[in-house]
Amino acid sequence: MKKILYLFLLLILSFSISSPAQNKISEDRLTRYDEFLNSEIADGKIPGAVVLIYKDGEKAYEKAYGSSDISTGKVMEKEQIFFIQSMTKPIATVALMMLYEEGKFFLSDPVEQYLPEFQNLRVLKNPEDGKDGDTEPAKQKITIAQVLSHTAGFSHGLGPSKQEEDVRNALYMQPQENIESRVKSLASIPLLGQPGEQWYYSASPDIAVRLVEVFSNMPYDQYLQKKILDPLGMKDTGYNLTEEQAKRLVALHGHTEDGKLVKMPNQPTTKGNTVFGGTHGLFSTAQDYSIFARMLLNGGSWNGQQFLSPKTIDLMTRNHIEGLEYDPGYGFGLGFGILVDIAEADIIGSEGQYFWSGAYCTYFFIDPKENMVSFLMTQYNQYSNFYSNKMRQMVYQAIVK
């Protein structure tokens, strides 16, 4: 018995010696982040911001900066609501992958098997010619995996080519009744590239949402509310806001031609929205979205409910575009960008970090190695990766032993 006890104690001692010390967040070092954001606000580059960091299951840092509306001088609060634009995409992907786990489809299934409007797709020989240009047949049927990894050959309507202009006009400049009509509009325009032969940022998450409706026999907003938002307790996330929530919405800002930061004349519509898309459209808070991110970090589990299997999350956060042209050091999974090589990316961080952002400068990342999620939320209409990279720089330099 003594020998067994001795071996047991030796094992515990060995484990404690070999286990590395848990990294921590230094609040002192995060003051550098404070100084940076306060400087950006003072220089009139952004109106204000909310920063939120969770590490090892605990809230490590939360702070609001500047103003939520510079026209009134209203102070930014931690509970402010943001129009999160493309941060809608990861949520749409999770919604579809929950149905994947129910056995509704294979990722290798052709989309046309469930949405017949995607039969007989054509590919433009020259995207500059637009929808009426010469085309050739798609070499293969687009798959659900290609939809989720932005490799199907669709575009988003954000670029300068004539094909992008046609997508932009069809999807966003024409009235759409619902997500079904918007997806059919997308299917009517020839692809800009052959399926599987390129990564190109696209409106394909709208297809994912439409597939959710087909597989669940529910309107997407109802499925989202019932299966994700309510069970997670994401009470401030949705496509439409109550009067109380609308009062907490951060105003959208931009710069005039002479460089002055102003509140934009056109603000997001907070009620009466009927197109519940996967590309964009959701409103949320940093705290609400952190619950979604922490659920993923926690292996798909939250408050005793298993939303996704850890194996599914592992699949979603693998690089699905190896061999295709993309940003150095980065890859893309199913619904998320992935940091695959920190040296090649030339940025501080952890390999395996996954992330995305929104067009109005809302950013987040999930780091399984550091057991951490991080958010920077503002509302500025000229998107760049600058604030995303600065968030990584300032958060990771604050990690100490």
Side-chain angles (χ1 to χ4, degrees):
M1 183 65 183
K2 287 184 178 180
K3 186 176 181 180
I4 293 174
L5 182 60
Y6 172 79
L7 290 173
F8 180 70
L9 291 172
L10 192 63
L11 181 63
I12 292 175
L13 180 61
S14 173
F15 180 79
S16 64
I17 292 171
S18 62
S19 297
Q22 181 64 55
N23 292 333
K24 301 176 294 184
I25 289 278
S26 165
E27 287 200 31
D28 286 342
R29 293 178 72 87
L30 278 176
T31 59
R32 299 169 179 176
Y33 200 7
D34 294 341
E35 291 167 2
F36 163 74
L37 288 171
N38 285 326
S39 175
E40 292 292 290
I41 293 165
D43 290 344
K45 295 180 179 178
I46 55 174
V50 171
V51 166
L52 179 61
I53 305 168
Y54 276 87
K55 193 171 189 317
D56 302 324
E58 302 291 335
K59 186 181 291 184
Y61 205 72
E62 184 181 28
K63 198 164 185 178
Y65 307 78
S67 172
S68 64
D69 184 341
I70 62 172
S71 69
T72 63
K74 186 178 179 182
V75 174
M76 184 75 81
E77 303 287 346
K78 298 172 186 176
E79 299 79 16
Q80 301 272 187
I81 292 175
F82 297 83
F83 194 33
I84 61 172
Q85 293 283 66
S86 288
M87 279 171 57
T88 302
K89 290 177 170 76
I91 294 178
T93 303
V94 166
L96 184 57
M97 293 305 292
M98 288 171 66
L99 289 161
Y100 168 80
E101 291 193 334
E102 292 181 19
K104 301 292 187 181
F105 62 93
F106 288 117
L107 289 167
S108 56
D109 285 347
V111 171
E112 67 177 46
Q113 184 175 332
Y114 309 105
L115 301 176
E117 58 264 36
F118 289 99
Q119 293 176 355
N120 304 315
L121 289 177
R122 307 286 297 182
V123 180
L124 280 167
K125 292 182 178 180
N126 183 359
E128 296 301 329
D129 293 338
K131 64 180 181 180
D132 297 322
D134 290 339
T135 63
E136 59 186 5
K139 296 177 184 177
Q140 60 174 280
K141 298 175 180 180
I142 61 168
T143 67
I144 295 175
Q146 289 170 344
V147 163
L148 294 177
S149 60
H150 295 280
T151 59
F154 298 105
S155 69
H156 210 318
L158 303 176
S161 75
K162 186 65 171 64
Q163 194 269 1
E164 295 252 43
E165 180 184 336
D166 290 338
V167 169
R168 182 164 59 248
N169 289 336
L171 270 59
Y172 312 122
M173 302 303 176
Q174 306 296 325
Q176 298 287 348
E177 181 181 354
N178 50 35
I179 192 59
E180 181 179 4
S181 69
R182 194 158 84 186
V183 166
K184 287 182 176 178
S185 295
L186 178 63
S188 71
I189 298 173
L191 302 173
L192 60 71
Q194 287 288 345
E197 294 187 4
Q198 69 283 297
W199 185 93
Y200 201 91
Y201 193 44
S202 72
S204 59
D206 279 348
I207 302 172
V209 160
R210 180 68 187 122
L211 287 169
V212 169
E213 293 189 330
V214 170
F215 294 135
S216 68
N217 292 313
M218 293 174 64
Y220 178 68
D221 63 320
Q222 293 180 24
Y223 179 89
L224 183 65
Q225 198 71 46
K226 180 179 180 181
K227 297 294 186 177
I228 296 178
L229 301 183
D230 284 347
L232 285 174
M234 296 174 67
K235 56 184 176 56
D236 284 324
T237 301
Y239 289 98
N240 291 290
L241 300 179
T242 65
E243 285 188 22
E244 184 278 326
Q245 289 171 327
K247 292 177 182 177
R248 290 188 280 130
L249 181 65
V250 179
L252 178 61
H253 296 77
H255 279 100
T256 61
E257 289 184 2
D258 60 359
K260 182 181 179 182
L261 185 69
V262 296
K263 179 180 177 179
M264 298 302 293
N266 295 322
Q267 295 290 315
T269 302
T270 60
K271 60 182 180 180
N273 295 310
T274 60
V275 182
F276 308 120
T279 56
H280 66 286
L282 283 176
F283 298 91
S284 192
T285 64
Q287 178 61 34
D288 251 26
Y289 207 98
S290 81
I291 300 172
F292 171 75
R294 286 182 285 150
M295 175 271 291
L296 294 171
L297 184 62
N298 197 41
S301 175
W302 193 257
N303 284 341
Q305 181 170 336
Q306 197 75 40
F307 292 83
L308 285 176
S309 163
K311 299 300 291 183
T312 301
I313 296 172
D314 179 60
L315 171 65
M316 294 168 65
T317 55
R318 296 294 182 101
N319 185 14
H320 286 245
I321 63 167
E322 190 169 352
L324 300 181
E325 185 176 346
Y326 197 65
D327 296 338
Y330 292 94
F332 200 88
L334 303 179
F336 297 92
I338 304 161
L339 181 57
V340 297
D341 189 324
I342 58 176
E344 191 177 2
D346 281 330
I347 193 165
I348 189 172
S350 300
E351 290 164 2
Q353 173 205 106
Y354 54 105
F355 60 90
W356 207 237
S357 54
Y360 292 158
C361 297
T362 57
Y363 310 91
F364 82 100
F365 68 74
I366 301 171
D367 185 336
K369 290 185 179 177
E370 289 293 342
N371 194 21
M372 176 173 68
V373 299
S374 178
F375 299 83
L376 170 62
M377 311 281 264
T378 186
Q379 294 281 258
Y380 175 62
N381 74 342
Q382 293 295 315
Y383 178 86
S384 80
N385 284 327
F386 174 76
Y387 290 107
S388 175
N389 291 337
K390 189 60 69 172
M391 172 177 65
R392 289 173 169 83
Q393 184 180 20
M394 293 290 96
V395 171
Y396 279 108
Q397 65 82 33
I399 293 178
V400 297
K401 287 289 187 181

